[in-house]
Amino acid sequence: MGSKEVIEKLSSDTSVKAVFPLEGELYDIVMAEEGSVTSATGMPLINRALKEVVKRSKAICIFCSSKFEPPMDHVMIMEDTDGNVVGHDIPVNMAHKYKNDENAIFISDDFVLYPDRTDMKDIAMVMLPQKVTSVGEAEGVKDAVLLYPATTTDVLLRKHFKIKMNDIDTASAILAFNIL
């Protein structure tokens, strides 16, 4: 049980277009690329999702639609040096919680800021790992987490696995887990 069962199960998911093992030199290159990513705004980027991925013993690359493992919790937050969350993404299932929040400033349809929570100095963007529900003990794995990589990593993965660059309906994802 393990990687093979995960790949087989995910390959049968209609929202998954392709699944590949991510190992060896390619794994090292992908982790180095993802670890070198900075934010487009110049804001510091803390990639806790990547830190969790590298703690796992196995990783696979998934090319999928937006219907695959939709986030049920925040995967991107803005945090000050005291640990105060001063902004975050809004997963679809949580949108109703923020519609009428008078303290929230919507900077997009799916991201809010709370300027009243901090002096807005020394803010960092934090990428969080996403918990996975589609695979688990039945496939011989535990502690599964998902990371949607930055654009540069996505391009690297698409080139390596020969996935069309202009397919906007397909995202790359890295699923990491431990074997039971």
Side-chain angles (χ1 to χ4, degrees):
M1 297 284 251
S3 295
K4 180 181 175 192
E5 288 78 10
V6 170
I7 290 171
E8 287 174 4
K9 180 165 185 190
L10 294 176
S11 295
S12 68
D13 186 322
T14 57
S15 64
V16 173
K17 299 178 181 187
V19 185
F20 302 98
L22 191 56
E23 52 198 10
E25 185 179 350
L26 177 62
Y27 174 85
D28 294 339
I29 291 168
V30 167
M31 294 301 109
E33 177 60 36
E34 190 65 13
S36 72
V37 172
T38 59
S39 74
T41 63
M43 182 181 298
L45 177 69
I46 301 168
N47 197 335
R48 291 184 190 145
L50 179 61
K51 288 177 183 175
E52 289 302 313
V53 164
V54 299
K55 290 179 184 177
R56 305 314 194 256
S57 62
K58 299 287 181 181
I60 59 174
C61 177
I62 304 167
F63 292 95
C64 54
S65 75
S66 61
K67 293 180 181 175
F68 177 72
E69 290 281 345
M72 301 308 278
D73 204 354
H74 305 294
V75 293
M76 184 180 355
I77 62 172
M78 291 173 73
E79 190 176 81
D80 69 12
T81 53
D82 294 328
N84 297 311
V85 175
V86 298
H88 57 76
D89 63 334
I90 304 173
V92 173
N93 66 309
M94 297 172 84
H96 66 281
K97 292 172 71 173
Y98 304 102
K99 270 196 263 187
N100 299 319
D101 187 337
E102 294 175 5
N103 296 318
I105 297 174
F106 283 78
I107 60 171
S108 71
D109 290 341
D110 62 354
F111 202 93
V112 295
L113 282 177
Y114 302 98
D116 61 324
R117 293 185 180 178
T118 186
D119 60 12
M120 297 303 278
K121 292 181 184 172
D122 299 321
I123 304 292
M125 187 64 71
V126 181
M127 304 306 295
L128 301 172
Q130 181 178 325
K131 292 183 180 172
V132 176
T133 60
S134 58
V135 295
E137 290 184 16
E139 293 76 32
V141 302
K142 64 180 182 173
D143 307 322
V145 294
L146 193 63
L147 172 149
Y148 285 98
T151 304
T152 55
T153 308
D154 175 68
V155 168
L156 189 154
L157 290 166
R158 285 173 186 267
K159 283 181 180 177
H160 181 83
F161 292 116
K162 298 178 177 36
I163 303 296
K164 291 180 184 176
M165 291 290 175
N166 60 353
D167 183 355
I168 60 171
D169 295 324
T170 302
S172 62
I174 298 169
L175 176 68
F177 51 88
N178 290 316
I179 303 295
L180 281 174

